[in-house]
Amino acid sequence: MKIICIGRNYIEHAKELKNPVPENPVFFLKPDTAILIRNRPFFYPMFSKEIHYETELVIKICKIGKYIQENFASTYYDRIGLGIDFTARDLQQKCKEKGLPWEVAKGFDYSAPISSFIPFSDLENQNDIRFRLELNGKQVQEGSSSEMIFSFDRIVAYVSQFITIKMGDLIYTGTPAGVGPVEIGDHLVGYLENRKMLDFRVK
Ligand code: ZN
C-alpha cells in the first residue's frame, strides 16, 4: 500500500506557512514504513529538532482505479480515520529553500500515526466531518471537511490521473491551521466528531 498526502488543503494553514493557495491539489507520498498504528508511542527522531504535528482526515481506498472521474470518485473510498502527518519542519524548510524533494522531512519511519477506520455511513453529516487534536489536554487544532479547498472526490480524481490508486491505499487530506511542534513527553489525543480516535505519546 501507499500513503498519499495532500498539502495546503485549508486556506488558513496555507497562510500560516506563507504558501500560496494552490490551483490544483499538491500531493506527496510517504512509504508504508511511515505507518504507526494502535496508538503506539512516537519516538522523536535524532535527525530533527522541530517535529510538527499535522492532524488530518484520512480516507481509505477500497478499489483499484485510475483516471477516475470526480462524479464517480466517492465509490473508490469507503472508510475514514484520523491521522497525524508528522513533519520535520526544519528539514522541510531546507528542502523548500533548495527546491529539493520533501521525503526526508515527511517520509521518515513512523511519521504517519493512524487511527482505526470507520465507515462513512457511520457519520451523521458527511459534508461536515469535524475533527480536532488535543496536545497535553489543550485543543490545538480543529477543522472540518467542509473547509477543505479540494474535496475528497476532487483529490481522488486528481491523484488518479497520475498514480493508480489501489485497495488499502491511504490519503491524508491535509491539515487545518494550528500546526506546531511536539516535545518528548507530549500526549496527543485526536477526535473525529466525538469519537476518540488517537491517543498516544511522544517518547
Ligand atoms: Zn500534512
Side-chain angles (χ1 to χ4, degrees), residues 29-199:
L29 275 76
K30 291 183 190 250
D32 58 1
T33 41
I35 285 285
L36 182 62
I37 55 168
R38 295 197 194 103
N39 287 320
R40 287 180 180 147
F42 171 77
F43 288 93
Y44 204 104
M46 308 275 282
F47 50 74
S48 173
K49 292 187 163 48
E50 194 185 13
I51 300 286
H52 275 199
Y53 56 82
E54 296 187 355
T55 314
E56 314 200 0
L57 295 172
V58 182
I59 57 174
K60 193 176 224 176
I61 300 301
C62 58
K63 64 179 175 183
I64 191 168
K66 65 192 301 187
Y67 303 120
I68 296 163
Q69 289 178 41
E70 194 171 331
N71 52 332
F72 295 122
S74 66
T75 65
Y76 286 83
Y77 57 89
D78 62 352
R79 296 171 87 78
I80 186 162
L82 196 64
I84 306 288
D85 165 19
F86 273 132
T87 303
R89 198 70 76 199
D90 47 355
L91 300 186
Q92 186 194 32
Q93 195 53 41
K94 282 185 193 154
C95 293
K96 281 185 179 175
E97 283 163 14
K98 295 178 182 165
L100 293 172
W102 290 6
E103 272 78 358
V104 293
K106 289 282 197 179
F108 55 88
D109 285 355
Y110 309 123
S111 60
I114 186 71
S115 71
S116 54
F117 284 80
I118 60 170
F120 268 85
S121 52
D122 279 11
L123 297 167
E124 282 166 33
N125 186 348
Q126 298 183 20
N127 297 314
D128 181 22
I129 305 165
R130 301 185 158 274
F131 62 103
R132 62 197 161 89
L133 180 73
E134 290 177 1
L135 180 67
N136 303 323
K138 186 173 162 237
Q139 181 170 299
V140 288
Q141 278 194 292
E142 66 171 326
S144 161
S145 61
S146 66
E147 298 160 358
M148 298 191 309
I149 300 168
F150 304 108
S151 66
F152 299 140
D153 291 353
R154 176 83 198 281
I155 290 166
V156 167
Y158 183 77
V159 169
S160 73
Q161 291 179 58
F162 304 95
I163 296 177
T164 299
I165 56 166
K166 293 166 120 177
M167 187 162 62
D169 287 351
L170 303 181
I171 304 183
Y172 280 60
T173 60
T175 192
V179 301
V182 292
E183 310 284 346
I184 290 172
D186 280 351
H187 182 204
L188 284 76
V189 179
Y191 294 85
L192 183 58
E193 303 289 359
N194 288 320
R195 296 173 180 83
K196 189 192 274 191
M197 303 293 280
L198 290 170
D199 184 352

